[in-house]
Short mmCIF file of all heavy atoms in Angstrom, two decimals:
data_model
loop_
_atom_site.label_atom_id
_atom_site.label_comp_id
_atom_site.label_asym_id
_atom_site.label_seq_id
_atom_site.Cartn_x
_atom_site.Cartn_y
_atom_site.Cartn_z
N THR A 118 95.61 90.62 103.00
CA THR A 118 95.47 90.48 104.47
C THR A 118 96.63 91.07 105.24
O THR A 118 96.49 91.93 106.15
CB THR A 118 95.19 89.03 104.92
OG1 THR A 118 93.93 88.61 104.28
CG2 THR A 118 95.04 88.97 106.43
N THR A 121 96.91 94.98 104.70
CA THR A 121 95.81 95.63 105.43
C THR A 121 96.03 95.62 106.95
O THR A 121 95.82 96.64 107.51
CB THR A 121 94.50 94.99 104.99
OG1 THR A 121 94.33 95.00 103.68
CG2 THR A 121 93.27 95.63 105.75
N LEU A 122 96.41 94.46 107.45
CA LEU A 122 96.72 94.31 108.84
C LEU A 122 97.79 95.26 109.31
O LEU A 122 97.78 95.91 110.33
CB LEU A 122 97.10 92.89 109.27
CG LEU A 122 95.88 91.90 109.34
CD1 LEU A 122 96.46 90.50 109.61
CD2 LEU A 122 95.03 92.24 110.58
N GLN A 125 96.37 98.74 109.35
CA GLN A 125 95.61 98.94 110.70
C GLN A 125 96.40 98.98 111.87
O GLN A 125 96.21 99.74 112.84
CB GLN A 125 94.55 97.74 110.70
CG GLN A 125 93.50 97.78 109.63
CD GLN A 125 92.60 96.52 109.59
OE1 GLN A 125 92.92 95.56 110.40
NE2 GLN A 125 91.60 96.46 108.86
N MET A 290 90.99 86.41 114.18
CA MET A 290 91.03 85.81 112.93
C MET A 290 91.08 84.30 112.93
O MET A 290 91.42 83.78 113.96
CB MET A 290 92.13 86.43 112.08
CG MET A 290 92.10 87.97 111.92
SD MET A 290 93.43 88.62 111.12
CE MET A 290 93.24 88.09 109.46
N LEU A 323 92.47 93.29 115.82
CA LEU A 323 92.17 93.52 114.29
C LEU A 323 91.47 92.37 113.74
O LEU A 323 91.49 91.25 114.19
CB LEU A 323 93.53 93.85 113.71
CG LEU A 323 94.30 95.04 114.28
CD1 LEU A 323 95.61 95.27 113.49
CD2 LEU A 323 93.51 96.29 114.27
N THR A 324 90.82 92.70 112.54
CA THR A 324 89.98 91.73 111.88
C THR A 324 90.43 91.48 110.49
O THR A 324 89.76 90.57 109.75
CB THR A 324 88.50 92.14 111.96
OG1 THR A 324 88.34 93.32 111.44
CG2 THR A 324 88.03 92.12 113.37
N GLY A 325 91.39 92.17 109.96
CA GLY A 325 91.91 91.88 108.55
C GLY A 325 91.12 92.58 107.52
O GLY A 325 90.36 93.56 107.70
N ALA A 326 91.23 92.09 106.29
CA ALA A 326 90.69 92.72 105.04
C ALA A 326 89.31 92.23 104.78
O ALA A 326 88.95 91.09 105.02
CB ALA A 326 91.60 92.42 103.86
N GLU A 327 88.56 93.09 104.03
CA GLU A 327 87.26 92.78 103.68
C GLU A 327 87.32 91.66 102.59
O GLU A 327 88.17 91.50 101.77
CB GLU A 327 86.62 94.03 102.98
CG GLU A 327 85.17 93.82 102.47
CD GLU A 327 84.61 94.96 101.64
OE1 GLU A 327 85.35 95.87 101.45
OE2 GLU A 327 83.45 94.82 101.36
N ARG A 329 87.83 88.53 103.13
CA ARG A 329 88.74 87.45 103.54
C ARG A 329 88.16 86.74 104.71
O ARG A 329 88.21 87.18 105.84
CB ARG A 329 90.13 87.97 103.88
CG ARG A 329 91.13 88.10 102.65
CD ARG A 329 90.62 89.16 101.65
NE ARG A 329 91.45 89.24 100.55
CZ ARG A 329 91.19 89.93 99.44
NH1 ARG A 329 90.05 90.54 99.32
NH2 ARG A 329 92.09 90.13 98.50
#
Side-chain angles (χ1 to χ4, degrees):
T118 296
T121 302
L122 282 172
Q125 293 173 349
M290 301 174 70
L323 302 181
T324 55
E327 180 186 6
R329 272 63 178 174

